Amino acid sequence: MTRVLAVMTGLALLTVAAEATDDPHPLLAIALGTTYAAHALAALWWLPRQPVPRRYWLTAAHVCLQLPLGVLLFGAAHAGVGATLLLLVLVSQCVLLLPLPAAAGVTAVVPLVHLGMGWADFARNALGLLGAAVFTAVVTALLQQAQRARAELAEANELLRGYAAQAAELATTRERNRLARDIHDGLGHHLTVVQMQVQAARAVLPTDPARADAVLAKAQHQASEALAEVRRSVATLRAPVARPPLRAALQTLTGEAAAAGLDATLEVTGPERPLPQEAEESLFRSAQEGLTNVRKHAGATCARVTLAYGGDGTVRLAVRDDGRGLSPDGDDLRGPLDGDRRSFGLLGLRERAARVGGRVTVGPAPGSGTELLVEVPG
């Protein structure tokens, strides 16, 4: 908008100079026009850079200087077109730099340059200049509004790009955390079993090779399961993978724990119903993590997995053992539930449950041992 007004000022000055060639004394009009245009161009560049309170006062001073100068120019140029255009430039400047009431006041004052004419000529010429001034003010205000709208749109687009980048980063973080949970809960479970079975096989190898071979066969089976778990995780990145029903998956899980030497049983209560895939995944991984930690840390002889379909729209899964119980300080992030001090297992379970609106609690089991309880809506 500033560049447009600068071009208009230059064209208006050229018009004043061209019109003055018909005057016997052209230098006065040209000098006044040059002074008016130079002051207008300087104000176009300098005034918008001033802070708002100061800018208002400086613009008011600029108007008080330009209006008398414009009256003199208007008379010297014999009310020519160039002088009129320079006055309209002043109207545009006021719309850009002053509050609306002040700009409207200047717009109303500009036609008074025709004072001194006869009443008929004054009415005709003043009304014409008033119409041109109002038109200029309205167009300037509309252009200014459009410029502000473009600036706001650009700012909004920049914010949207920032939000999109944050959303992408959040999605990446969530996917990374999901993969970490899958590796810990799936692959970590099978490798733990393999480690324990290899240790058992090495212990009996010198005295009972046949038993050692049987234990190693189980370890090989668990290694195959670990490989299948890796393949499932990779396939999940490409397409959803169909899993067996939750009851069947839990029966397989407790069967593996029983084969490893832990007396593990499964009990299902309440009418079974289909659950969202993410809720089933949360319950299955909770049972898997619970049984893994019972074998690793609890010193238990038996474990009981209970899957309860409640009538209140909640499904609960509990893993109870008869082991040594929680650590003496009651810290549920360590001890029999998870020997890793950083507790990636419990953290992953809580994250899974929270994603489906559920929760995880850990506490003493009735009698002795520890109970891991997971509740999810379903």
Side-chain angles (χ1 to χ4, degrees):
M1 191 66 193
T2 301
R3 288 193 295 268
V4 172
L5 289 178
V7 172
M8 286 183 59
T9 302
L11 291 176
L13 179 60
L14 290 176
T15 304
V16 169
E19 291 175 338
T21 57
D22 293 335
D23 195 305
H25 305 285
L27 294 181
L28 179 60
I30 294 175
L32 289 173
T34 302
T35 303
Y36 186 101
H39 195 271
L41 291 174
L44 282 175
W45 175 83
W46 185 63
L47 288 178
R49 291 171 169 77
Q50 306 305 311
V52 169
R54 184 183 180 191
R55 185 179 70 194
Y56 289 163
W57 290 107
L58 291 175
T59 303
H62 168 67
V63 171
C64 291
L65 176 64
Q66 290 289 82
L67 275 178
L69 189 60
V71 172
L72 293 176
L73 172 63
F74 202 74
H78 306 290
V81 174
T84 302
L85 291 176
L86 287 174
L87 288 172
L88 294 180
V89 169
L90 179 62
V91 171
S92 290
Q93 282 184 299
C94 292
V95 172
L96 293 175
L97 300 175
L98 291 176
L100 183 59
V106 173
T107 303
V109 168
V110 163
L112 298 181
V113 295
H114 288 286
L115 286 174
M117 297 181 177
W119 284 108
D121 291 338
F122 172 77
R124 182 174 62 254
N125 291 293
L127 284 176
L129 183 54
L130 178 62
V134 170
F135 178 80
T136 301
V138 170
V139 171
T140 303
L142 292 176
L143 291 175
Q144 185 183 39
Q145 185 177 6
Q147 188 175 18
R148 288 174 179 172
R150 286 195 297 270
E152 291 173 358
L153 181 60
E155 183 179 357
N157 288 334
E158 187 64 27
L159 288 175
L160 286 176
R161 283 192 288 269
Y163 292 150
Q166 292 178 6
E169 183 179 356
L170 179 60
T172 301
T173 301
R174 287 181 174 176
E175 183 64 14
R176 184 166 59 244
N177 290 340
R178 185 189 68 80
L179 291 174
R181 291 193 299 268
D182 286 347
I183 292 172
H184 181 279
D185 298 343
L187 186 61
H189 161 76
H190 293 295
L191 293 181
T192 298
V193 175
V194 169
Q195 180 190 26
M196 297 176 66
Q197 290 173 335
V198 169
Q199 289 175 348
R202 291 183 62 187
V204 300
L205 184 61
T207 57
D208 194 347
R211 183 180 175 189
D213 182 70
V215 174
L216 289 175
K218 294 178 181 178
Q220 183 180 7
H221 173 72
Q222 287 295 325
S224 300
E225 289 293 323
L227 181 59
E229 186 72 31
V230 171
R231 289 172 176 166
R232 282 194 294 269
S233 297
V234 173
T236 301
L237 298 176
R238 300 179 180 272
V241 178
R243 289 189 176 274
L246 182 58
R247 175 195 279 265
L250 293 178
Q251 286 175 339
T252 301
L253 198 61
T254 53
E256 291 174 354
L262 179 67
D263 182 12
T265 59
L266 171 66
E267 179 184 5
V268 180
T269 63
E272 298 183 39
R273 54 183 179 270
L275 300 175
Q277 181 178 357
E278 198 168 4
E280 287 197 358
E281 180 75 8
S282 176
L283 294 172
F284 174 77
R285 293 301 187 184
S286 298
Q288 189 178 54
E289 177 70 12
L291 290 175
T292 298
N293 283 288
V294 168
R295 294 200 302 271
K296 287 169 60 177
H297 310 295
T301 59
C302 67
R304 182 179 181 182
V305 180
T306 303
L307 178 64
Y309 291 87
D312 57 352
T314 301
V315 181
R316 298 174 177 85
L317 182 132
V319 180
R320 302 182 182 93
D321 64 71
D322 63 348
R324 66 174 64 95
L326 293 173
S327 55
D329 58 1
D331 186 359
D332 64 355
L333 300 181
R334 298 177 55 198
L337 182 68
D338 196 338
D340 187 349
R341 187 178 183 87
R342 291 168 293 181
S343 186
F344 292 131
L346 184 58
L347 177 62
L349 298 186
R350 285 176 169 163
E351 288 177 349
R352 288 183 188 276
R355 284 177 64 87
V356 297
R359 62 192 184 98
V360 176
T361 57
V362 180
S368 63
T370 305
E371 178 185 64
L372 167 66
L373 179 62
V374 183
E375 300 177 86
V376 299

